[in-house]
Amino acid sequence: MNPPAWLKPLAWAALVWNLLGVIAFVMQLLITPEMISQLPEAQQAAYRDIPLWSTAAFAIAVFAASFASILLLAKKALARELFLISFIAVLVQ
C-alpha cells in the first residue's frame, strides 16, 4: 500500500521543525555566563536553574524526533518508535 500524498510534505515539515529544535538546544548549550549576566534577573535565574534531567530530556526529544523524521522520509518503521521516545521526552521535560 502506498502512503498518502500528504505524508511526504508533512515529514519534510517535521524534519525542518525538529532541526530548529536541535538548533535551539545547541544555542542553549552555547550560552555563556557572560551572556546570561546581560539578561534580566528572572531570565538569569531561569537559565541557572535548568536541571540536568530537563536538558537531557530536551536533547533526547529533539535528536530522536529529527532522526525519526529522516526515517519517516526513508519510509522506515523505526520512525514510529523514535517519535514515541521523543514524545515521552517532551512530557518529561
Side-chain angles (χ1 to χ4, degrees), residues 4-16:
W6 52 264
L7 185 61
K8 196 167 196 171
L10 179 67
W12 278 107
L15 179 59
V16 170

Side-chain angles (χ1 to χ4, degrees), residues 57-75:
F58 185 14
I60 292 167
V62 298
F63 285 103
S66 295
F67 191 50
S69 297
I70 292 167
L71 291 177
L72 184 60
L73 285 165
K75 301 177 185 172

Side-chain angles (χ1 to χ4, degrees), residues 28-88:
Q28 179 178 315
L29 286 182
L30 294 178
I31 193 166
T32 65
E34 293 79 25
M35 296 165 103
I36 293 173
S37 69
Q38 296 176 4
L39 297 172
E41 184 59 40
Q43 288 180 336
Q44 289 181 35
Y47 272 101
R48 279 193 309 265
D49 298 338
I50 297 173
L52 182 59
W53 61 264
S54 179
T55 302
F58 185 14
I60 292 167
V62 298
F63 285 103
S66 295
F67 191 50
S69 297
I70 292 167
L71 291 177
L72 184 60
L73 285 165
K75 301 177 185 172
K76 302 294 181 188
L78 183 58
R80 182 180 304 130
E81 286 78 16
L82 284 176
F83 276 127
L84 179 61
I85 290 168
S86 175
F87 179 68
I88 292 168

